[in-house]
Amino acid sequence: MTERSPAVAAAIEGELRLLDPVVRASAEVLGAMLHPEFREIGTSGRLWERDTIITALTTPDPGAPRPGPLTATRMRGEQLASDLVHLTFDTESRGLRSHRSSLWRLSATGWLLYFHQATPFIDDPFAEV
C-alpha cells in the first residue's frame, strides 16, 4: 500500500467534513470549504453552483425531507498536480447509493472543493473492492 500524500490526506479530511450534517447545515463553514468557482452535478443530474448548493443545504424546506446522514466507503485519492487532487468514493444515505468523484484545488486559504459529481447506482458487481 502506498502512503498518502499530504495533499490527498487534506482532500479526504475535507470531503469527510462535508459529509457531516453539522457542516452541511452551516453556510459559513460551507462557504469556507467550497471554491469560488465550485460546481456540482448531483444525483438527480442537476447542475449546482456554489451559492445555490449552499442555500439548498442550509435553508430548511418544510415540505422536503431532510437528507439523512451519508456514509462513505472506498475513498481513494490521487494527486494530479501540485494544486489538484482527485477523490473517488461511494456514499449511502437512506438506501440511496452513489459513486462520487471530487476535485480539490489548493488555494491561498487551503484545499477547497472545486468540482463534485454523484451518480446513483443500485448494485455494481464489477466494482473494485
Side-chain angles (χ1 to χ4, degrees), residues 58-77:
T58 61
T59 305
D61 179 353
R66 293 299 295 164
L70 291 165
T71 303
T73 57
R74 301 189 320 172
M75 191 170 291
R76 296 187 211 186

Side-chain angles (χ1 to χ4, degrees), residues 7-117:
V8 169
I12 288 173
E13 180 182 329
E15 197 70 62
L16 292 174
R17 281 192 70 209
L18 286 171
L19 297 177
D20 182 335
V22 173
V23 170
R24 296 170 72 83
S26 170
E28 183 179 337
V29 176
L30 288 172
M33 296 183 71
L34 300 181
H35 191 278
E37 297 174 25
F38 172 79
R39 300 288 183 272
E40 175 175 331
I41 300 171
T43 55
S44 68
R46 178 179 176 174
L47 178 62
W48 296 88
E49 294 184 353
R50 183 179 185 275
D51 293 341
T52 56
I53 196 73
I54 290 172
T55 299
L57 289 171
T58 61
T59 305
D61 179 353
R66 293 299 295 164
L70 291 165
T71 303
T73 57
R74 301 189 320 172
M75 191 170 291
R76 296 187 211 186
E78 183 172 345
Q79 187 167 357
L80 302 176
S82 61
D83 65 342
L84 188 65
V85 169
H86 179 226
L87 298 181
T88 58
F89 58 103
D90 292 339
T91 59
E92 190 276 328
S93 177
R94 295 186 179 169
L96 177 63
R97 295 165 44 192
S98 299
H99 295 304
R100 296 184 178 261
S101 178
S102 295
L103 291 174
W104 287 78
R105 290 185 70 179
L106 184 59
S107 72
T109 60
W111 288 95
L112 301 177
L113 183 57
Y114 180 77
F115 177 79
H116 184 81
Q117 182 167 356

